[in-house]
């Protein structure tokens, strides 16, 4: 019963914050639990969900290439811009942080609870986007390594 109550609270937070992603995610989980598929669907999503999400995000990012809106001309033009170099370096940094996040979540799964709470707060209160747990874990991993060095 506790998972349902928790999910309903998150649903209410999603409605109050007008966060469509949170509302859809909670409704999906409530439906899966209500129709009795949670023992099959939830372990799969827990294991593969991040990978599936990253794949969907990657597809969305690549759509302009598939539609022809971005081609080789735009690519070569973009490397002449300081903003493109900043974006590229940011992409590298985020990917490396996410790698550290995967390591941390595999090593210390209890950190997941705090990361999920932080993501829920950011999504519901600040209109953030729920890609935060992996990057958050990566940032936490880097900070933990720094703390280990100085302690």
């Amino acid at each position: 019963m506790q998972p349902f109550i928790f999910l309903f609270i998150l649903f209410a937070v999603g409605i109050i914050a007008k966060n469509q992603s949170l509302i859809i995610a909670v409704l999906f989980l409530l439906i899966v639990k209500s129709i009795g598929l949670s023992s099959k669907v939830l372990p799969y999503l827990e294991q593969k969900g991040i990978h599936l999400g990253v794949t969907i995000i990657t597809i969305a990012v690549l759509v302009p290439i598939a539609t022809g809106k971005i081609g080789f001309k735009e690519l070569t033009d973009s490397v002449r811009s300081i903003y493109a170099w900043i974006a590229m370096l940011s992409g590298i940094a985020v990917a490396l942080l996410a790698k550290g996040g995967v390591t941390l979540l595999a090593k210390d799964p209890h950190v997941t609870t705090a990361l999920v709470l932080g993501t829920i707060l950011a999504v519901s209160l600040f209109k953030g986007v729920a890609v935060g747990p992996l990057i958050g874990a990566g940032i936490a991993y880097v900070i933990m390594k720094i703390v280990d060095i100085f302690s």
Side-chain angles (χ1 to χ4, degrees), residues 112-130:
T112 304
T113 305
L115 290 166
V116 168
L117 178 59
T119 301
I120 290 168
L121 290 172
V123 166
S124 59
L125 300 177
F126 306 112
K127 302 204 183 296
V129 178

Side-chain angles (χ1 to χ4, degrees), residues 10-91:
L10 291 175
F11 181 72
V13 168
I15 289 175
I16 292 167
K18 297 177 183 162
N19 188 297
Q20 186 178 21
S21 296
L22 183 59
I23 293 168
I24 291 169
V26 170
L27 283 175
F28 174 80
L29 293 171
L30 284 169
I31 291 168
V32 167
K33 286 191 70 58
S34 296
I35 62 175
L37 290 177
S38 60
S39 64
K40 293 182 185 208
V41 173
L42 297 185
Y44 177 79
L45 289 176
E46 188 172 24
Q47 184 180 20
K48 304 281 186 185
I50 290 175
H51 179 70
L52 292 170
V54 169
T55 301
I56 290 169
I57 289 170
T58 303
I59 290 168
V61 169
L62 295 177
V63 165
I65 294 170
T67 61
K69 290 180 183 173
I70 294 177
F72 291 112
K73 181 187 181 317
E74 289 77 15
L75 177 63
T76 56
D77 288 348
S78 74
V79 296
R80 295 185 187 120
S81 159
I82 187 68
Y83 294 134
W85 285 99
I86 291 169
M88 185 170 52
L89 292 172
S90 296

